[in-house]
Amino acid sequence: MHYYSTNKQTPPIDLQEAVVKGLAGDNGLYMPERISVFPDSFFEEIQKMTFQEISFEVAKAFFGEDVETDLLKEIVYDALNFETPLVPVLDSIYSLELFHGPTLAFKDVGARFMARLLQYFIKKENKSGKDSRNVNVLVATSGDTGSAVANGFLGIDGIHVYVLYPKGKVSAIQECQFTTLGQNITALEINGTFDDCQALVKAAFLDKELNEKLLLTSANSINVARFLPQAFYYFNAYAQLRRKGIKNEIVFCVPSGNFGNLTAGLMACQMGLPIKRFIAANNKNDVFLQYLLTGFYNAKPSVQTLANAMDVGNPSNFVRILDLFGHNHDTITQFISGFSCSDESICETVKACYQSTGYLLDPHGACAYSALLEKLQANETGVFLETAHPSKFKETIETIISDTVEIPQKLQEFMKGKKQSTELGKDFSAFKRYLITR
Ligand SMILES: *Cc1c(COP(=O)(O)O)cnc(C)c1O
């Protein structure tokens, strides 16, 4: 299958090149040139299938032409060795808990998936006689991406990962998850914001000299191998809804930062998944909401909020959404609505939900839950994606609910390690020198 750039200034390429390169040469994002539609019978039978079985079918639709079936199956089953339960919170509102993976991040699946696919393609390139090179994965993180990518790529030979994160702006637990691993994982503590980290990564990909010296790629949701596997979640949620007898009027509400997760959901719909509409839940970084309201897209510097994984002022996957809808603002607003949640409202929502239902939200899930409370219509069933485990924001949540939050064993393990990181400024020249001299 070929992948085209959303800017359409470079020729379509194959999956191998899209995964290895990440970003297209014209600065666009890659999109699959075809999206296959499942027959109705697939959706009639879906509730009898396991998460792994469903995901394998979806994975074949995207990657089946480019990866041998047995290997693809192995990768899917390896990346998805946990459940994403659908938990009722209120009448007609369900939490889709995506945080049961190895680092308790929904990004675990995409990260592991991409690590395995990249490793496969690099080995293939090296075998075919092109000079044998290591790949350097650059990833900017506001918290969860770094941990998921670091863990997904840990110990994979031939690939070195650099995690760039804003100093003092990720939670202690999140920081432990990518600074304590060692091996092929290097943590770079940047004196700046998440947007500065993302800008450094982008500048690195566009720097000619750097790209001649090093093979660089990204593991942000820019990469097709990172964001497409997130479509699995939506199919699996639908299977779980059908098991409860629900199959119509389904609304997904997605806490959004770079909009990779939401874009994957839109892909699932294009594959025939019967979803009525989406709500994109933002924190105060709401350029997408402003776009929906006005038709104008104005990237802004990000502001810091309690839902820090969504502190994004220029969401990279916005161009993919435009592309999917042929840049038609009307069509987009018919299918997706927006929502912006302040820090005060996040706190109130976490507290009220905990007190009235016993369900503990994290700050990201709280934005989405709050959006559903306001926007879900009487006949609809709302599913919000609960993207992080509340204990990752232990202090914040404990202050809000005046109660203690247990840290799961899996997370405690990370906190035992020793923090190793290198501090860097936000200017590109120093970062470039660092990479070249390593
Ligand atoms: C990454 C992340 C998000 C945002 O996901 P996007 O795909 O970037 O929109 C939301 N919540 C949490 C906890 C995250 O880690």
Side-chain angles (χ1 to χ4, degrees), residues 86 136 139 156 231 308 372 415:
L86 189 71
N136 300 284
V139 56
I156 294 215
N308 66 2
L372 279 179
M415 301 188 75

Side-chain angles (χ1 to χ4, degrees), residues 23 69 71 101 117 119 124 128 132 137 155 175 184 191 217 240 273 287 301 351-352 358 369 378 394-395 418:
L23 193 68
T69 312
L71 178 69
L117 220 53
Q119 182 187 37
K124 214 165 143 187
S128 73
S132 176
V137 170
E175 192 174 6
N184 59 332
N191 273 304
T217 196
Q240 295 185 69
L273 191 69
V287 294
K351 190 169 179 181
Y369 180 74
K394 187 173 161 59
E395 285 85 35
K418 187 174 174 305

